[in-house]
């Protein structure tokens, strides 16, 4: 294989990655007293967009009003800054291992269009589920497990449980 | 062949790593648990108790009250009857007996105001101060000498004799003026005329919830 | 899986992690004195004033007396067979050992200082640490013509007539000192702006 | 000293700077351990690459053991840390929906942001999907409200709900994780290899 192609897919040892992630969670809790998070950003994004479109709608809607009350702009949120960091960090790591490039990663068996449709579908489901459970895998499950929170464990179990159950139906997409 | 040897080592290495992790978890179980001191340890409390920095002299306090210093809250730890007899202007009455109950914590546990505890002498105020410091509250001060000291310095200052330095005279004048402010020497009937020190509404700071909120 | 073979970094980091934990645990010493009494218990003990004792009550049996004044004052004069533990060293091993064996033998230790306020801080600390067999000698000690005078101290008594001050005295004319009274220096107490920011979290 | 910012040791302004730094490290670690490729993520469900399970469990173990050691040594005060609230049915139903979304889309929000950073167009679509999902949730908030606020058990931890001391829970979680690692190795050897 071409030299550059060869080391495109050589990742870290997962245990090493997990270890560093564990240290990072400890560092986050030690510095700020809260865990990591990801899906809160999408919520802030949506709230700001809806707020631009029609301000009074956000005030009336029960869910939006929680984030737009008073001068507190939804964008002034810890997660938004953290996501900026995640984007930069991922780009850095990707460029180091020259994995940068616009492409759609899909199993050879399926077309790009099907992959994008399933990605959109998965995204919608995940967005919905993340709001209901107040957290996603990195926010609720990972940070929750770090402090042994029951909610975190339940969310983690139900995510991976249903994922394993429904894996059979989506196997054509992946294998 | 190399691969097989490599695999043999690697499989053993993972077992070593797994056992290390297990030892770490086991260590946590075997560590003897101990009763943790909550916010302040005994040594810190002792260090705080020793230094007399907590005392505020009655002259400084009188000056603060006269210049309407907004950052002080006066807390009278005496009983109700002594409080009604005489107390410093705008003082709140929290008898020593119920200094720990819930509704007064809003006043005591906050870091925006300087809380000045006072009683007839230092004794009760010191006890209250020590109890509150054990809870980890900050900005607590004690009026040195209490009301009796206040009486001897502000309300009825000793007259300086001739051989005293000029500062003693200045201090005496200041105290005499402060006494006037606090209503000394004005005949009882005129007393009502004097502008009542505006009842400073002592804002009851809302006790911030201790639980961290989060969001996702 | 290629990356599973690269175990050099993970083993180094795991060993380091375990080392940090071991060092932390070894260098850690449990806090020596731990509060035995909660604030509420201490408060209820304060309400009943039986911890204040007068000198004559203990004149008969030979009590354990602890003097919390500094060494120099103690060396000048002190109540006979009083043990000197300055307040700063009340939590030292030596004094804690002494207090615990006093407690084991069931005696009560009496603490006194220049005035009850000084003894109070030491007493309250010891009480909260569980040495509830200590009491305060409600006495005021001062050294007059090289003899220690110990007087009973009337605690927290308001001065008898301080309310009359508002009615009787008219301010005598203070004319002989014509200098304008200097504006009292405004002592600004720096208010420490310490905002307690709660951690928010979540995903 | 415990969490620095809530204890006031570090001023609140540091919060933003730390957020960016933490995000940087988070993004780097996720991307470097291969979480930007959805097929590697999906591998955990089909047995050809258990990276997700290993990284996830190791991170959880290391952080929980580390935090409780620091709590023991007095460096951090666990009771002040943010604990994810437990809304029983919301967690189960939300988790189920997220599980299906995970298998269908192949990403979770954190990893999708990483994939967005390195130019994976399906991740862009995925993020768009999440936003639409949030929009759907908030517009139709009325229907989801009862599940959302159902059986709120507060910010409880396993220690209160199981009644066991924390160290025993951590030990059991460690043992389960080690068994899972071992089983994942066995399964991976038997499952047909997938090159991606």
């Amino acid at each position: 294989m071409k030299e550059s192609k060869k080391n495109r897919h050589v990742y870290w040892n997962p245990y090493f990655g997990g270890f560093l992630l564990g240290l990072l969670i400890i560092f986050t809790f030690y510095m700020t007293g809260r865990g990591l998070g990801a899906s809160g950003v999408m919520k802030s994004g949506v709230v700001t967009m809806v707020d631009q479109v029609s301000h009074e709608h956000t005030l009336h809607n029960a869910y939006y009003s929680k984030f737009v009350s008073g001068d507190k702009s939804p964008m002034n949120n810890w997660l938004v800054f953290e996501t900026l960091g995640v984007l930069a960090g991922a780009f850095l790591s990707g460029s180091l291992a020259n994995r940068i490039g616009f492409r759609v990663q899909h199993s050879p068996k399926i077309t790009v269009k099907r992959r994008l449709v399933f990605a959109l579908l998965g995204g919608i489901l995940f967005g919905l589920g993340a709001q209901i459970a107040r957290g996603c895998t990195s926010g609720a499950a990972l940070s929750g497990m770090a402090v042994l929170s029951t909610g975190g464990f339940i969310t983690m179990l139900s995510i991976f449980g249903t994922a394993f159950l429904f894996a059979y139906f989506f196997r054509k997409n992946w294998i | 062949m190399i691969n097989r040897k490599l695999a043999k080592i690697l499989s053993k290495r993972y077992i070593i790593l797994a056992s290390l992790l297990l030892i770490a978890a086991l260590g946590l179980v075997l560590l003897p648990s101990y009763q943790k001191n909550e916010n302040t340890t005994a040594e810190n409390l002792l260090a705080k108790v020793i230094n007399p920095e907590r005392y505020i002299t009655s002259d400084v306090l009188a000056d603060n009250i006269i210049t309407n210093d907004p950052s002080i809250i006066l807390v009278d730890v005496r009983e109700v009857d002594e409080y009604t007899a005489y107390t410093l202007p705008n003082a709140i009455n929290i008898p020593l007996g119920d200094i720990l109950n819930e509704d007064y914590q809003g006043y005591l546990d906050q870091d925006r105001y300087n809380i000045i505890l006072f009683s007839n002498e230092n004794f009760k105020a010191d006890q209250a101060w020590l109890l509150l410091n054990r809870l980890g509250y900050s900005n607590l001060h004690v009026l040195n000498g209490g009301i009796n000291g206040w009486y001897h310095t502000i309300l009825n200052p000793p007259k300086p004799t001739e051989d005293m330095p000029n500062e003693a005279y200045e201090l005496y004048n200041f105290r005499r003026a402060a006494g006037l402010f606090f209503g000394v020497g004005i005949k009882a009937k005129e007393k009502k005329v004097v502008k009542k020190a505006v009842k400073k509404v002592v804002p009851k700071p809302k006790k911030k919830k201790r639980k961290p909120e989060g969001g996702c | 899986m290629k990356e599973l073979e690269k175990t050099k970094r993970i083993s180094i980091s795991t060993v380091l992690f375990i080392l940090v934990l071991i060092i932390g645990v070894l260098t850690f010493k449990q806090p020596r004195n731990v509060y035995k009494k909660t604030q509420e218990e201490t408060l209820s003990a304060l309400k009943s004033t039986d911890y204040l004792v007068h000198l004559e009550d203990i004149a008969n049996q030979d009590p354990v007396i602890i003097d919390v004044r500094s060494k120099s004052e103690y060396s000048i004069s002190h109540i006979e067979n009083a043990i000197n533990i300055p307040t700063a060293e009340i939590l030292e091993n030596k004094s804690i050992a002494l207090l615990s064996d006093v407690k084991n033998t069931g005696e009560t230790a009496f603490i006194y200082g220049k005035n009850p306020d000084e003894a109070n801080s030491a007493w309250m600390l010891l009480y909260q640490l569980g040495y509830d067999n200590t009491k305060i000698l409600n006495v005021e000690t001062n050294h007059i013509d090289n003899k220690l005078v110990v007087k009973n101290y009337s605690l927290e008594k308001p001065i008898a007539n301080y309310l009359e001050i508002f009615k009787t005295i008219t301010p005598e004319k203070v004319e002989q000192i014509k200098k304008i009274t200097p504006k009292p220096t405004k002592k600004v107490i720096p208010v420490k702006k310490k905002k307690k920011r709660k951690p928010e979290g979540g995903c | 000293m415990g969490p620095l910012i809530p204890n006031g040791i570090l001023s609140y302004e540091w919060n933003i700077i730390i957020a960016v730094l933490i995000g940087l490290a988070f993004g780097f670690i996720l991307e470097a351990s291969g979480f930007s490729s959805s097929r590697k993520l999906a591998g955990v469900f089909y047995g050809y690459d258990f990276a997700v399970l290993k990284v996830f469990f190791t991170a959880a173990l290391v952080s929980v053991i580390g935090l409780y050691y620091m709590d023991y040594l007095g460096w951090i005060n666990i009771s002040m840390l943010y604990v994810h609230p437990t809304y029983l049915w919301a967690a189960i139903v939300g988790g189920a929906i997220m599980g299906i979304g995970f298998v269908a889309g192949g990403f979770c929000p954190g990893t999708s942001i990483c994939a967005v950073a390195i130019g994976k167009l399906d991740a862009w679509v995925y993020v768009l999907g999440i936003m639409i999902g949030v929009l759907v949730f908030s517009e139709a908030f009325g229907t989801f409200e009862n599940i959302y606020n159902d059986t709120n058990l507060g910010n409880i931890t396993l220690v209160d709900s199981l009644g066991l001391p924390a160290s025993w829970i951590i030990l059991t979680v460690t043992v389960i994780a080690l068994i899972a690692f071992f089983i994942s190795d066995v399964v991976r050897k038997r499952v047909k290899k997938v090159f991606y």
Side-chain angles (χ1 to χ4, degrees), chain A residues 97-116:
Chain A
N98 57 53
R99 287 193 276 267
I100 305 287
F102 284 108
R103 63 199 185 291
V104 172
Q105 187 182 26
H106 60 88
S107 129
K109 290 201 188 62
I110 58 172
T111 66
V112 170
K113 198 162 64 57
R114 177 185 166 108
R115 165 67 188 135
L116 291 183

Side-chain angles (χ1 to χ4, degrees), chain B residues 18-87:
Chain B
S19 47
L20 278 181
L21 196 65
L22 209 60
I23 289 163
L26 270 174
L28 207 58
V29 172
L30 305 177
L31 280 178
S33 70
Y34 63 98
Q35 193 227 337
K36 265 217 271 286
N37 273 335
E38 69 293 0
N39 8 48
T40 44
T41 64
E43 285 78 13
N44 298 2
L45 199 55
L46 179 65
K48 280 189 198 159
V49 158
I50 292 170
N51 71 36
E53 206 193 67
R54 62 176 185 270
Y55 287 117
I56 175 170
T57 59
S58 39
D59 303 329
V60 166
L61 183 63
D63 175 68
N64 282 351
I65 296 174
I66 293 166
T67 53
N68 243 326
D69 183 343
S71 78
I72 56 170
I73 292 184
L74 295 165
V75 171
D76 188 339
V77 288
R78 295 175 302 170
E79 293 315 316
V80 185
D81 46 8
E82 287 164 322
Y83 173 76
T84 43
Y86 171 73
T87 184

Side-chain angles (χ1 to χ4, degrees), chain C residues 25 40 113 167 177 179 189:
Chain C
V25 168
E40 287 70 23
K167 301 184 187 59
I177 304 152
K179 283 188 303 311
I189 303 170

